Amino acid sequence: MLADRVVVLGGGFAALETAFQLTAMVDPNRLHLTVVSDRDHFLYRPGLVGLPFGAAEAPLHVPLSMALDRWNITRRLACVENVDTERRIVHTNRVMPIHYDHLVIATGAQAHPHGVPGLAEHAAQISSPGQLHRLGERFQWVAHNAGHGRPQHVLFVVPPGTVWPGPAYEIALMFDTWLRRRTVRHQVRITFATAERAFGEQLGAGLHRILADEFATRGITGETDLPVTEIAEVHTCFDDGSKLHHDLVVALPPHAAALWHDGLPADDRGFLTCRPDRSLVGRDDVFAPGDAGDFPVKQSFLAVTQARAVAAAVAARITGRPVDTGFEPTALCVLDTVDKGILVEAPLTAEGLVRVDHDRVLSGPAWRAAKYALARYVPMRYRHGKPALPRAGHGLLTAARHFLER
């Protein structure tokens, strides 16, 4: 019997979790697995928020070669150019096309700063490691000026079209704590303006209450339902006609699909249209877990749980067994404030809406410890070619929650 050819496009959470889950679910004699990525490492993106405050970047990178070789997964370092779903072929910038029986598109989302006039030119963005290192340098200048008696105003902006605003909230709260520890917080005004109707809107009312309380306690001016229309060098304009002057503006840019696939169903930002099991509408042999798909909430834990469900669906098609794991959407994350962590658990509907009165938000120093334990655990698992999630349960973070609540 010929092995089924499974091709996974991408090198992030959804791609690696799908690949490593498949190696655990399917007899290797029945599976020929190929991972196509334009980079040779995995980046643990939740850890990027610490870079402006001196955290090391190196532990966030996981080389892919040894992890994939461990399970005889074929590696293709290449850029995807197009997918021919009729002939089941992936074309890359390399010479040879790649044939598949099952395709997993996990190419993620990409920042599009030009979606807001002036954002690319005048804002400090928080998307890539390089941008976050440069933001740390800008923060140092703010603290230097404040320490010399020059009042500063730092504006944080979350525009429409942002797929996951969590990093903006984390960095704003971490910045507040960082300034206090340098005894210059009184010289720095911090404003947080978001297009969301509530703070952390995607994850429910509980998170809004916690963030609103944090802002009030810390003296951060928070504004909701305030979309930005233009960012200039010293001021930012909003759609209600207001204008805020600032010394530094920090922005999380809008996002769209990292790759647009002609001929595949997608929304107006290129995110692929999926059924609840993350298979593409009209294509039973193509799946899109994580940020490449159209699930409205895009966050690393959701990407991992979607990937596990996709791996189970592909494994069922290969083995002929029933699917034993479905996608049960739950957003689970910890926001770091330096002095503590804020745990958010939000069960979602199939449409990505928070189930009313089912969201849970807890805070305390122990949750920050859990976040950093997770930051070690996931890269370690991927470095050894193992999935982040076990076959049952939600892994380390859920276990930590159960332990700390006892």
Side-chain angles (χ1 to χ4, degrees):
M1 180 181 294
L2 293 176
D4 279 54
R5 299 165 299 183
V6 180
V7 175
V8 178
L9 309 181
F13 279 104
L16 293 189
E17 190 70 16
T18 300
F20 296 146
Q21 289 282 355
L22 276 169
T23 63
M25 295 178 181
V26 180
D27 185 320
N29 294 317
R30 302 193 61 181
L31 176 67
H32 184 275
L33 184 56
T34 300
V35 171
V36 182
S37 177
D38 61 357
R39 59 184 186 269
D40 60 0
H41 66 274
F42 164 78
L43 175 63
Y44 185 75
R45 297 193 66 84
L48 293 179
V49 294
L51 299 186
F53 308 101
E57 181 186 342
L60 305 179
H61 294 270
V62 177
L64 293 181
S65 56
M66 290 184 61
L68 298 179
D69 290 348
R70 183 185 185 96
W71 304 109
N72 295 318
I73 299 172
T74 301
R75 294 180 287 120
R76 293 287 187 91
L77 186 62
C79 297
V80 175
E81 293 184 341
N82 64 74
V83 175
D84 184 341
T85 55
E86 297 304 319
R87 299 170 60 199
R88 292 183 172 179
I89 295 175
V90 175
H91 294 282
T92 72
N93 61 341
R94 302 295 184 182
V95 176
M96 297 297 293
I98 306 170
H99 297 261
Y100 68 85
D101 298 302
H102 312 278
L103 177 65
V104 179
I105 301 176
T107 45
Q110 181 173 285
H112 282 258
H114 296 289
V116 176
L119 191 153
E121 295 81 8
H122 303 298
Q125 298 178 55
I126 48 177
S127 293
S128 70
Q131 291 171 347
L132 286 156
H133 283 301
R134 289 191 292 273
L135 177 61
E137 296 172 0
R138 302 287 295 274
F139 282 167
Q140 292 287 350
W141 273 110
V142 169
H144 173 80
N145 289 331
H148 284 76
R150 294 187 286 272
Q152 302 286 291
H153 181 201
V154 177
L155 171 65
F156 290 83
V157 174
V158 177
T162 299
V163 296
W164 170 236
Y169 288 102
E170 285 190 272
I171 292 173
L173 294 171
M174 294 169 79
F175 181 54
D176 169 83
T177 304
W178 183 81
L179 290 172
R180 291 179 188 278
R181 292 181 176 181
R182 281 155 179 76
T183 66
V184 294
R185 175 65 178 90
H186 63 287
Q187 288 279 41
V188 182
R189 175 186 170 197
I190 302 176
T191 302
F192 193 101
T194 177
E196 304 165 284
R197 291 170 296 182
F199 298 127
E201 178 182 17
Q202 290 179 320
L203 299 191
L207 180 56
H208 169 80
R209 289 191 294 269
I210 286 285
L211 289 173
D213 287 346
E214 285 287 340
F215 284 174
T217 300
R218 295 168 180 266
I220 298 174
T221 302
E223 301 287 351
T224 59
D225 200 16
L226 191 60
V228 59
T229 56
E230 182 181 6
I231 297 176
E233 184 175 0
V234 296
H235 67 262
T236 292
C237 301
F238 299 91
D239 76 344
D240 65 352
S242 62
K243 179 188 295 186
L244 283 177
H245 288 78
H246 47 68
D247 298 283
L248 172 64
V249 58
V250 182
L252 193 63
H255 288 74
L259 287 178
W260 292 61
H261 302 277
D262 294 338
L264 297 182
D267 63 17
D268 59 358
R269 289 194 287 165
F271 296 122
L272 297 168
T273 308
C274 299
R275 303 185 183 99
D277 68 352
R278 312 322 297 159
S279 64
L280 264 60
V281 171
R283 301 297 316 186
D284 292 336
D285 57 345
V286 182
F287 298 82
D291 293 356
D294 64 346
F295 195 76
V297 182
K298 301 185 185 298
Q299 181 254 345
S300 57
F301 183 78
L302 279 166
V304 168
T305 54
Q306 289 177 44
R308 184 175 63 176
V310 165
V314 173
R317 285 163 168 75
I318 295 173
T319 62
R321 296 193 298 264
V323 178
D324 63 358
T325 302
F327 173 47
E328 299 177 1
T330 298
L332 192 64
C333 66
V334 178
L335 304 181
D336 185 10
T337 71
V338 177
D339 52 357
K340 62 183 174 182
I342 301 172
L343 171 74
V344 186
E345 182 182 24
L348 308 173
T349 66
E351 295 76 30
L353 302 175
V354 177
R355 296 185 184 277
V356 178
D357 296 329
H358 283 72
D359 59 307
R360 294 163 21 116
V361 183
L362 304 170
S363 66
W367 290 115
R368 185 169 190 260
K371 180 183 179 74
Y372 282 87
L374 189 67
R376 293 189 296 270
Y377 170 81
V378 173
M380 179 271 294
R381 295 283 292 183
Y382 286 169
R383 187 172 286 109
H384 291 86
K386 297 180 180 180
L389 292 184
R391 292 294 299 275
H394 287 157
L396 180 67
L397 192 54
T398 297
R401 172 169 51 80
H402 290 323
F403 175 78
L404 291 171
E405 289 176 354
R406 286 187 302 182

